[in-house]
Amino acid sequence: MPARDLAQAKPLPVPKQWQKEIESLLITEDQIAARVAEMTAEIQRDFKGRELVVVSLLTGTVLFLADLIRHLELPLRLDFMGVSSYGGGTESGDLVFTKELRLDVAGRDVLLVDDILDTGKTMDRVLAKLFVLRPRRIKTCVLLDKPSRRVEKVQADYVGFTIPDKFVVGYGLDFAERYRNLPFVGVLHPKVYRQHARTLPRKKR
Ligand code: PRP
């Protein structure tokens, strides 16, 4: 099933306690749950009972990963790679690997999970690193896709939602390590990142 395209989505009301920091609600908890269930079913069909190595990128995938694999009726092993972009105020920050893979993926079916595909630099670098390890095949899965921001020629096999070029947080996605715990995906109020811009290294997105 194709990704749900939210390019023209009407902003939804934000829960009261978040109204100061979140400008609008882009994807509700229920919409996420419904789409993640569809993605799980699709992955299950495609891999037809084969054992998977799920490689999840830290840290933004925490909530998505938990929901995605919870109902996945396939044998799987789980591992994480740590990769972060530190822009130092710019958008083209260097990628830093903070945790390497521990499981052997040679000859294995790999499902690479990330929260958002933005410029594609992270996915591109990680795929290059994984291909060297000679897996049987790699499929990629992201909750969110912002195709308008793409720099690298990369796309995901499973996409939850295609979204406009807005700074989104929640359901694992952060700004300055905050807002990961929101159960929905919302658009961060520009005043929040303007306030932080002078004091914190700004992460892209
Ligand atoms: C974010 C996100 C993706 C990456 C996507 O990671 O989790 O991995 O950026 O951007 P790209 O397509 O432009 O490379 P971030 O470095 O913010 O780390 P985090 O997951 O810990 O928030």
Side-chain angles (χ1 to χ4, degrees), residues 57-60 83-85 114-122 174 180 203-205:
L57 301 188
L58 296 170
T59 306
V83 50
S84 259
S85 47
D114 205 356
D115 53 351
I116 186 166
L117 184 54
D118 188 355
T119 64
K121 289 180 184 176
T122 303
D174 75 312
R180 294 197 197 272
K203 294 170 86 178
K204 64 189 163 57
R205 203 170 54 232

Side-chain angles (χ1 to χ4, degrees), residues 31-135:
Q31 287 172 326
I32 295 171
R35 182 67 190 123
V36 171
E38 288 174 354
M39 295 171 84
T40 300
E42 206 176 329
I43 292 165
Q44 208 157 284
R45 274 197 305 275
D46 288 355
F47 284 91
K48 292 193 189 79
R50 289 190 64 86
E51 186 182 79
L52 279 182
V53 178
V54 176
V55 175
S56 195
L57 301 188
L58 296 170
T59 306
T61 54
V62 280
L63 303 194
F64 176 45
L65 174 75
D67 289 341
L68 186 79
I69 65 171
R70 191 186 314 250
H71 303 293
L72 198 56
E73 291 174 10
L74 288 175
L76 66 84
R77 294 181 298 152
L78 180 59
D79 203 352
F80 295 90
M81 281 172 87
V83 50
S84 259
S85 47
Y86 295 99
T90 72
E91 293 219 338
S92 52
D94 288 335
L95 288 183
V96 183
F97 281 87
T98 55
K99 186 200 171 293
E100 298 292 339
L101 206 60
R102 288 181 59 226
L103 294 179
D104 183 6
V105 298
R108 301 290 173 177
D109 288 35
V110 173
L111 180 70
L112 176 62
V113 179
D114 205 356
D115 53 351
I116 186 166
L117 184 54
D118 188 355
T119 64
K121 289 180 184 176
T122 303
M123 184 77 85
D124 190 61
R125 282 281 302 278
V126 171
L127 281 174
K129 227 170 140 83
L130 286 173
F131 276 123
V132 171
L133 303 173
R134 301 196 166 278

